[in-house]
Each structure stands twice: as C-alpha cells, then as structure tokens.
Amino acid sequence: MNHPVKIKNALVSVYYKDNLAPLIQLLNKYGVTFYSTGGTEAFIRDLGIGVERVEDLTGYPSILGGRVKTLHPNVFGGILSRRPLAEDKKQIDEYNIPEIDLVIVDLYPFEETVASGASEQDIIEKIDIGGISLIRAAAKNFNDVVIISSKNDYTELEEILAAQEGATTLEQRKSFAKRAFNTSSHYDTAIFNYFNQEEPIEVFKQSEQKAQVLRYGENPHQKGVFFGDLDAMFDKLNGKELSYNNLVDVDAAVAIIDEFQEPTFAILKHTNACGVASRETVKQAWIDALACDPVSAFGGVLITNREVDRETAAEINKLFFEVLIAPSYSEEAIAILTEKKNRIILRRKEVKLPTEQFKTLLNGVILQDKDNTVEGPEQMTTVTKVAPTAAQLEDLYFANKIVKHTKSNTIVFAKNGTLIASGVGQTSRVDALKQAIEKAKAFGFDLVGSSMASDAFFPFPDCVEIAGDNGIAAVLQPGGSIKDKLSIEMADEKGLAMVTTGVRHFKH
C-alpha cells in the first residue's frame, strides 16, 4: 500500500548543517511546523523561519550540559505514536503531544573525535544519546514518520517532497529507515570497538560505510563489492576501475613493499612476488626486479617505495602491466605512463592500515593478527659449523621478507638483494624447491653462492641436500622439526651455513 503521509511537524536537530537550508525552506513552503534545539534552532531562525523550542514542548530546559534535551514523552510520544491506532491517538490528544512526521537528526562525530587523538573524556562526550534514540524511534515508526539521519539524504528528500507536494510514500519512508538503522548500527559498532581494545571480548563486529561495486568478482560470473575508502589510500592518476583481482594483488603488493626501507621494486602476479630487487636507484631496482621473471611480470602489479622518475618510467613503459603503485611520480613520468588509457596508475597516500585481517570461512568468520614480524640477522641463530657471511645474512633477511608474503609451501632464492626465483604454493617443500631451481635456471641465474629461505621447517634433510647440490651457500628456516638434527648434519656435510629463526611464516 502506498500510504502517503504529508509532513505537518518536523523535529530538526543536527550537528552538520551543510545543505540543510534549501530543505528547511521547502518544508516551510508547505507549512511545516519546526521543533528544534540549540544551534539548529538558531540556524532556522536565521533563515527567517519560525521554530518552536523543544524545551517549550517538553517543559524542561536542556540540562546536564546538554546531555538531556529531547529525552521526553512529549517528543518520543509524537514520533512513536501509531496513527491508525485509536488508543495511541487518544493518549496523544490527552497529553497534547504533536505528531512528528519528520525527524532530521545526525550524530555527534564519534569516529572523527577518536581519529583526532582526543582525550577519553572528549571521546565519551561524543557518544550521542538523544540523537541515536530519535533516529531509532523514527525509523521504527517508518509507517508514519520520515527519518533523515545523514546530510547526504537532504537533497533526495527535497526532490521527493517537491515532486509529491510535501508527502512521502511508505516505500520511501522504509528506505530512509533502512539507512537510519545502518547509521545507528555503524555508530554503535564504532563505539563498541573503541571500548573493546583492552582485554577484548571475543566477538566480531565490523562496519564499513563506503562501498564500491566492482565489474565482477574473482570471475565474471561472481558479483564483487569492495567495502572501504580507496580514495583515502590512493590517488588514481590513470586507467580503468580496479577489479576484484587487481585489489587482491594491490593489497599483497602494499604488504610486501612495506618490508623494505631501501629503494625497492616488486612485481607481483596472483599475489606472489615474481620479481623483487633493492638497489641504490629506483631505475636499477626496476631493471633487476624485471630480470627475475620477465614472463610472469607481463600483466602484473608493480610497486615501489620511491618516486618514479622519467628514466624509470621509460623503462617500465616497455612492459604491459595492469597496475603501478608509487608514493610519487615526476610530471615527465606521468606523461609517459599515461600514454595507454587502461593502465592503472596509483599514487599511494600515507594511511594507517588495520592490524588484523579476517575472511569468511565455513559458516563464520576467521580473524587473526597480521603477520607483522620478520626476522633480521639479529634473530638468526647459526646452527651449522659454517657461519653465514655478513652479505649472506643480508640476503637471508631479504629472502625472509619475500617468503613471508608468498603462498606456502614456498622456497625463495636471493642473491645480492635480488629475488632469483621462488617455488610457490606447492604441496611439498621438495616440489617448491625444485620449482625454484628450475625457474632460476630458466632465466639464467647462477645459484652458486645464493641464499635460500623456507617459510617452515624441513621435515627431512632432502631439501638441504638438493640445495647443497645446486650451489646454495646459506639457508634460513624456522627450525622446530623433530628431525632438525638430520637437516643440520646434511648442511654440514654439504658445507652450507644454516640459520634458524624460531618463527614460521605460513601463508595459506
């Protein structure tokens, strides 16, 4: 049923007044009576429009420093009364309560106050009580009441009222109610998560207001939506919209590049690094990263932690790629890289990233802390007769950073700050090692003197034996196998240096 309701009385009390004036002026044109408080009341009067004070409606002034203004039966009765119900109508008339047909209320900026680093006292004062109650009451009674809980909805309501001579339909009111409950639930989630930081209750609550519908999901027959604020993370300088798979790869690229302080370039394909190099210049880092596996780099996601200059852009321009990410670009570099319209060029901004990650699994959600640990030379314990050299320790550290961000089971070879090859996502560690050896040989890399990292321990000495037979000089592994002794003995037999870290880096 359409059930049109013409607005007669409106309660307006908002924190943000952007673009509110045209709506108030239109409502005034239709003879609406306004009830308001504080700054909003003054705002309406300044428009030359009459307004009733809520404290006159309730018979009580604003008390407790503004904490209590609207919490009164004369307000909530007017919002919650069921118009078709005779008993409600009788009580409304008995207590002389005006029926409120429109509530325009937003909430104190709780999240913004937390983000500003304000004191706990200031944060607590930004927990809205009256506003959230008004929103919930009006949304509950959408059958008769319009609720506007965001300044983003002012224009839409204005257009509806202009087209329908001051009235709304049931469908429209229900739509606004849905948005209102989204507002209230998001607000409560933010407050709960603020309180749940110390000695947390083990519950899962997440709410993200911004959404971007993607062309499709992982495959064309799957729907895909990104919930988050990409504009806060990147400036998109060129190219088509990011796809689901682009976003997954971009996430992996950001994670791996953040491990490096020195000028570094990484190339990723299907979330795994197929080229990484650290050099004194970003151009040389790009050239050497690409040399690792130029075949897999085709159509990949590229990322660096330094500005891309004209010379580097000219080299990158020779390759077909999907996405390029950098903290900045020279004007000449942008001119070169935007020659092809579909290339996605992103300029990364400084944004604090979450410390936890989650995904749906079975009939629930699984959550964990991000793997923010990577062991450097100080955390490496030599367990063999031969100790790694300083250069080998640096290469083991370099390889360990890449292992951490590569699908298990994985083996990574590194030499002179360059990824030589990796074995990725294999069902056995031996297969991962053999895959890495074959890739290194295919692209002409000499494994003699290189360093090898494994994401988990060696259950048998076979990997160490194969590594020694192929010229590997130093090996990093977490250790912890009941057969560690056999792997160490094999390393000694082959003349390898082996270190253990005590930390596993599975990535499933």
Side-chain angles (χ1 to χ4, degrees), residues 192-193 195-205:
F192 170 78
N193 286 336
F195 278 93
N196 202 41
Q197 296 177 83
E198 297 179 11
E199 299 182 11
I201 304 169
E202 294 301 329
V203 297
F204 181 80
K205 291 184 186 292

Side-chain angles (χ1 to χ4, degrees), residues 340-356:
K340 297 181 180 178
K341 65 178 183 177
N342 284 333
R343 284 176 173 169
I344 300 170
I345 309 297
L346 301 177
R347 181 168 53 213
R348 185 180 173 188
K349 302 177 184 178
E350 287 293 328
V351 174
K352 185 178 180 182
L353 296 173
T355 58
E356 296 177 328

